[in-house]
């Protein structure tokens, strides 16, 4: 169901004209109220009035996570504190937390967008929403909560943790929509199963999962184990929180970005150049309706692709692919950008290969070398060396064709590669540069 | 008339082969024949042992990738031309030998070779038709 028919299905031309008007307004607003933006624009020699087309946005400098840290805590706020009604902050595991603020209108806008997101996943007034996102400084819990109320659904603000109680509530309150992180969902399913509560006997029809990257394989696992439709949601506190983009139930192929509120761009993370639709690169957002914490060309460090093709659901808003990685993970090999996740998807295309791999990067005679170690398993193992070598060259050829980079593939013994998700285990870069 | 061989994937790094023989020794498995086919990165270790199931289980429990393969054990006259005769028969019949290696036997005037064919059944028939002796797995494990 489409919550806001007018805006969500607006013809591109009308949508872009609204975007431009809103962009011009927000640029004037931040230039006048946030010293950081005034200085950035002055240094770049561009005034808000110089932005005459959407393409002109590309002339404005980026905003980075570091900029937010430098202006900790409230330096990027564009309204007086008297107008700020809510403050959220990111966890700050890698440094200072980033702090964001909302006016009353911002909260209402956010609730509206989250209501759109819930609707796209099939939720209606009649649904009971089990909201297991954490409530607190993290935007997940409250973001979903306000959207659910805006939609008119019944929301259970169960928050994260206390898994046993969650399982009992799921059994007794009969919620129909689950909102949680995908990893917590699988944990919850396991714990419930141990208590004798089978997810298949519950009343869930769909789940909305986000706040962490998750693969298509994980979607299949969740859908099978829980017998629901698993929908991907995207958002980040710097831009707003959950509800920046959402998959539609009809297509489940790419997340519609609510473009009447956010302008997305894809850039080459090395050069900063804007890339055309269809190219893979770093996702950049400009918010065009937020009051307290507008953000201009914010580099999310998330890697994805934008797809402008019309969608079966009727929404005209561009779709972003599932986030496939982070720029932090990016390797540059002989000038080619390589993401571990891209190698992973090549491997997943090869019959019998499991995503247990490791990338070894080295430099020999001033030339970068990439070695991909891939774990063998019983399905792949042949008694004949020739066949194993053929498998190695097939993977190598697929990597070359897909990524344009030569890699030596080495089969490895099972469980010889660490099972962590982190970059440390996946990539060993021995280059001395 | 076939024999079961177990094949193990090993990376080419120091001590890997002895890890395998160590596990088998601990499990009380006797290795009757062994061959390694390797590349610069990895090798396939092929074994004939006195108890395949026990060996397979012990190796799998230690995290090795193991696979059973059908091979053929053939008696070879221990004199000049003994092996040549077998290969000649196979060549005439158009049977391809994927690989072969020797079976460890302490005494006797005959040696035993282990063969892996692409067409196992046909190969056995040809060998038998030409008066050669094929030893089946159960006999082999009692030798
Ligand atoms: Zn759609």
């Amino acid at each position: 169901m489409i919550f806001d028919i007018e805006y969500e299905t607006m013809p591109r031309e009308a949508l872009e004209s609204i975007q431009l008007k809103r962009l011009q307004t927000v640029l004037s607003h931040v230039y006048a109220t946030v010293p950081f933006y005034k200085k950035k624009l002055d240094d770049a020699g561009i005034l808000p009035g110089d932005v005459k087309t959407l393409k002109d946005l590309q002339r404005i400098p980026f905003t980075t996570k570091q900029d937010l840290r430098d202006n900790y805590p409230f330096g990027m706020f564009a309204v007086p504190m008297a107008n700020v009604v809510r403050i959220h902050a990111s966890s700050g595991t890698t440094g200072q937390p980033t702090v964001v603020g909302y006016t009353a209108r911002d909260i209402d806008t956010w609730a509206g967008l989250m209501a759109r997101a819930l609707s796209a996943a099939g939720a209606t007034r009649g649904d009971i929403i089990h909201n297991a996102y954490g409530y607190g400084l993290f935007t997940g819990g409250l973001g979903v909560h306000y959207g659910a109320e805006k939609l008119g659904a019944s929301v259970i603000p169960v928050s994260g943790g206390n898994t046993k109680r969650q399982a009992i509530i799921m059994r007794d309150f009969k919620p129909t929509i689950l909102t949680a992180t995908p990893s917590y969902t699988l944990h919850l399913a396991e714990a419930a199963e141990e208590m004798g509560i089978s997810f298949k006997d519950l009343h869930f029809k769909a789940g909305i999962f986000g706040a962490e990257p998750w693969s298509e394989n994980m979607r299949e696992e969740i859908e099978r184990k829980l017998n629901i439709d698993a929908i991907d949601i995207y958002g980040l506190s710097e831009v707003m929180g959950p509800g920046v983009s959402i998959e539609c139930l009809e297509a489940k192929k790419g997340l519609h970005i609510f473009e009447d509120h956010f302008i997305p761009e894809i850039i080459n993370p090395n050069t900063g150049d804007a890339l055309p639709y269809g190219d893979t690169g770093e996702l950049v957002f400009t918010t065009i309706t937020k009051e307290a914490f507008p953000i201009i060309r914010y580099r999310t460090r998330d890697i994805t692709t934008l797809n402008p093709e019309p969608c079966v659901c009727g929404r005209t808003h561009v779709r972003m692919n599932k986030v496939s990685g982070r720029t932090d993970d990016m390797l540059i090999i002989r000038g080619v950008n390589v993401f571990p996740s891209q190698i992973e998807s090549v491997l997943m295309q090869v019959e019998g290969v499991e995503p247990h791999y490791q990338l070894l990067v080295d430099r020999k005679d001033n030339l970068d070398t990439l070695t991909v170690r891939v774990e063998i398993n019983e399905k792949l193992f042949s008694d004949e060396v020739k066949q194993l070598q053929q498998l190695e060259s097939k993977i190598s050829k697929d990597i070359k064709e897909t990524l344009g980079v030569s890699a030596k593939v080495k089969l490895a013994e099972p469980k010889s590669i660490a099972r962590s998700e982190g970059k440390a285990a996946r990539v060993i870069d021995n280059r001395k540069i | 008339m076939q024999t079961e061989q177990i094949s193990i994937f090993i990376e080419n790094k120091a001590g890997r082969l002895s890890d395998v023989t160590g596990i088998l020794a601990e499990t009380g498995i006797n290795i009757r024949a062994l061959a390694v086919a390797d590349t610069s990165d990895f090798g396939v270790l092929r074994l004939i042992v006195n108890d395949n199931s026990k060996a397979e289980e012990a190796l799998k429990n230690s995290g090795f990738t193991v696979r059973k393969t059908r091979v053929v054990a053939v008696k070879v006259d221990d004199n000049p031309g003994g092996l040549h005769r077998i290969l000649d028969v196979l060549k005439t019949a158009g049977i391809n030998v994927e690989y072969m290696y020797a079976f460890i036997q302490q005494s006797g005037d005959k040696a035993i070779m282990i063969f892996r064919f692409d067409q196992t059944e046909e190969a056995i028939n040809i060998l038998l038709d030409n008066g050669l002796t094929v030893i089946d797995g159960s006999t082999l494990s009692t030798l």
Side-chain angles (χ1 to χ4, degrees):
Chain A
M1 207 198 84
I2 297 177
F3 184 77
D4 191 333
I5 288 274
E6 186 193 350
Y7 280 96
E8 290 184 74
T9 63
M10 185 172 272
R12 293 297 306 181
E13 208 173 302
L15 182 62
E16 281 166 20
S17 129
I18 285 179
Q19 282 184 319
L20 180 61
K21 225 176 286 165
R22 290 180 172 178
L23 174 65
Q24 287 164 334
T25 307
V26 80
L27 287 174
S28 309
H29 177 54
V30 295
Y31 188 81
T33 55
V34 184
F36 166 81
Y37 285 118
K38 179 171 191 314
K39 183 167 187 312
K40 271 236 154 150
L41 267 68
D42 285 345
D43 288 353
I46 177 166
L47 289 169
D50 296 337
V51 174
K52 308 254 189 258
T53 66
L54 285 175
K55 209 171 159 30
D56 288 336
L57 177 61
Q58 291 171 13
R59 295 169 54 203
I60 294 175
F62 295 111
T63 304
T64 65
K65 186 114 183 156
Q66 190 56 47
D67 293 327
L68 305 189
R69 292 203 181 109
D70 292 345
N71 288 280
Y72 175 86
F74 304 142
M76 303 284 277
F77 285 18
V79 296
M81 280 310 278
N83 294 350
V84 173
V85 300
R86 174 96 64 82
I87 292 165
H88 280 287
S90 75
S91 52
T93 42
T94 53
Q96 231 160 18
T98 42
V99 184
V100 296
Y102 303 79
T103 63
R105 206 190 87 177
D106 288 338
I107 294 289
D108 192 53
T109 305
W110 185 11
L113 296 185
M114 194 55 227
R116 289 186 188 179
L118 290 164
S119 291
T124 63
R125 292 180 59 86
D127 279 303
I128 301 177
I129 298 176
H130 183 104
N131 184 18
Y133 283 114
Y135 282 66
L137 280 177
F138 169 59
T139 49
L142 285 167
V144 170
H145 185 102
Y146 275 63
E149 287 188 352
K150 184 83 161 182
L151 180 66
S154 319
V155 56
I156 308 170
V158 67
S159 193
N162 206 340
T163 306
K164 280 192 175 160
R165 189 183 62 181
Q166 299 230 5
I168 291 164
I169 287 173
M170 291 186 316
R171 184 192 62 198
D172 297 347
F173 295 10
K174 302 183 172 54
T176 49
I177 302 278
L178 174 65
T179 54
T181 63
S183 56
Y184 184 68
T185 300
L186 287 171
H187 171 70
L188 191 57
E190 222 166 80
E193 210 65 56
E194 274 169 27
M195 293 166 66
I197 300 170
S198 168
F199 255 87
K200 296 212 163 127
D201 301 333
L202 298 178
H203 293 74
F204 287 119
K205 59 181 187 188
I208 300 169
F209 306 106
E212 64 190 19
W214 53 304
S215 62
E216 280 302 325
N217 292 350
M218 207 155 165
R219 188 206 304 267
E220 277 165 32
E221 188 181 349
I222 290 174
E223 293 196 331
R224 182 167 39 80
K225 282 194 174 154
L226 277 63
N227 195 24
I228 58 168
D229 283 301
I231 302 292
D232 194 9
I233 187 167
Y234 176 87
L236 61 172
S237 62
E238 297 93 317
V239 174
M240 183 181 76
V244 172
S245 67
I246 183 91
E247 280 179 336
C248 55
L249 189 61
E250 293 89 337
K252 261 196 247 174
K253 201 168 173 17
L255 298 85
H256 290 283
I257 295 171
F258 296 128
E259 284 183 283
D260 49 336
H261 294 267
F262 313 105
I263 299 177
E265 295 172 83
I266 296 290
I267 62 157
N268 177 326
N270 303 321
T271 62
D273 292 342
L275 297 175
Y277 283 142
D279 278 18
T280 301
E282 181 177 352
L283 181 61
V284 168
F285 273 114
T286 299
T287 67
I288 50 176
T289 54
K290 274 169 70 188
E291 294 178 332
F293 193 89
I295 200 157
I296 311 298
R297 300 197 87 200
Y298 181 65
R299 295 185 63 155
T300 64
R301 294 193 272 187
D302 286 326
I303 301 297
T304 186
T305 310
L306 294 181
N307 168 17
E309 278 164 36
C311 184
V312 287
C313 70
R315 287 178 184 81
T316 51
H317 295 190
V318 72
R319 280 175 285 169
M320 58 183 264
N321 281 340
K322 240 175 175 332
V323 170
S324 65
R326 304 270 300 159
T327 54
D328 316 60
D329 296 334
M330 189 179 76
L331 293 162
I332 304 171
I333 294 162
R334 268 165 271 149
V336 180
N337 296 344
V338 175
F339 297 98
S341 54
Q342 291 176 299
I343 304 264
E344 179 167 336
S345 47
V346 171
L347 293 176
M348 295 304 287
Q349 306 283 317
V350 182
E351 174 80 25
V353 174
E354 286 167 28
H356 302 307
Y357 64 94
Q358 188 175 44
L359 309 183
L360 305 164
V361 191
D362 214 330
R363 182 163 284 181
K364 283 179 190 131
D365 306 324
N366 291 318
L367 211 63
D368 296 334
T369 61
L370 171 65
T371 304
V372 183
R373 290 182 70 218
V374 182
E375 277 187 14
I376 191 104
N377 57 49
E378 270 170 51
K379 230 177 177 177
L380 293 173
F381 181 43
S382 156
D383 169 54
E384 278 158 49
V385 171
K386 198 171 44 186
Q387 288 193 20
L388 295 174
Q389 285 176 318
Q390 275 168 6
L391 174 67
E392 286 184 334
S393 29
K394 177 182 171 20
I395 295 172
S396 177
K397 186 170 149 264
D398 288 356
I399 290 173
K400 175 83 189 171
E401 276 173 11
T402 316
L403 304 180
V405 65
S406 304
K408 177 168 172 44
V409 175
K410 278 191 185 185
L411 294 175
E413 285 175 20
K415 306 233 159 50
S416 60
I417 296 166
R419 288 290 185 270
S420 149
E421 292 285 318
K423 183 185 178 184
R426 281 265 178 267
V427 180
I428 298 175
D429 196 337
N430 290 320
R431 286 176 292 189
K432 311 259 181 306
I433 300 171
Chain B
M1 294 303 269
Q2 302 179 359
T3 298
E4 208 171 49
Q5 161 196 278
I6 55 177
S7 307
I8 304 146
F9 181 89
I10 46 171
E11 274 179 63
N12 274 359
K13 48 188 185 193
R16 239 14 214 149
L17 200 53
S18 77
D19 289 344
V20 172
T21 52
I23 290 162
L24 295 176
E26 268 171 40
T27 324
I29 304 275
N30 193 6
I31 299 172
R32 310 304 311 279
L34 175 152
V36 184
D38 60 356
T39 70
S40 56
D41 313 324
F42 66 85
V44 178
L45 176 61
R46 298 165 183 142
L47 295 172
I48 307 269
V49 298
N50 61 344
D51 189 337
N52 276 328
S53 312
K54 222 165 119 188
E56 189 183 7
E57 196 194 327
L59 289 166
K60 276 191 180 169
N61 287 343
S62 302
F64 284 96
T65 302
V66 184
R67 184 191 182 100
K68 285 183 181 158
T69 317
R70 298 267 161 202
V71 291
V72 180
V74 187
K75 268 195 185 171
V76 187
D77 285 330
D78 196 9
N79 58 40
L83 178 61
H84 176 70
R85 183 160 170 247
I86 297 173
L87 294 176
D88 199 46
V89 162
L90 293 166
K91 185 180 151 192
T92 311
I95 304 266
N96 184 35
V97 178
E98 301 278 355
Y99 56 79
M100 60 182 189
Y101 56 98
F103 187 78
I104 304 157
Q105 203 187 14
Q106 280 144 348
S107 62
D109 58 347
K110 302 238 179 193
I112 296 170
M113 290 294 290
I114 305 293
F115 287 89
R116 164 80 173 146
F117 301 112
D118 52 358
Q119 304 151 277
T120 307
E121 285 303 328
E122 288 89 330
I124 291 172
N125 290 336
I126 299 288
L127 291 167
L128 293 175
D129 289 351
N130 283 276
L132 291 154
T133 312
V134 174
I135 306 166
D136 74 10
S138 51
T139 313
L140 197 70
S141 58
T142 62
L143 286 176

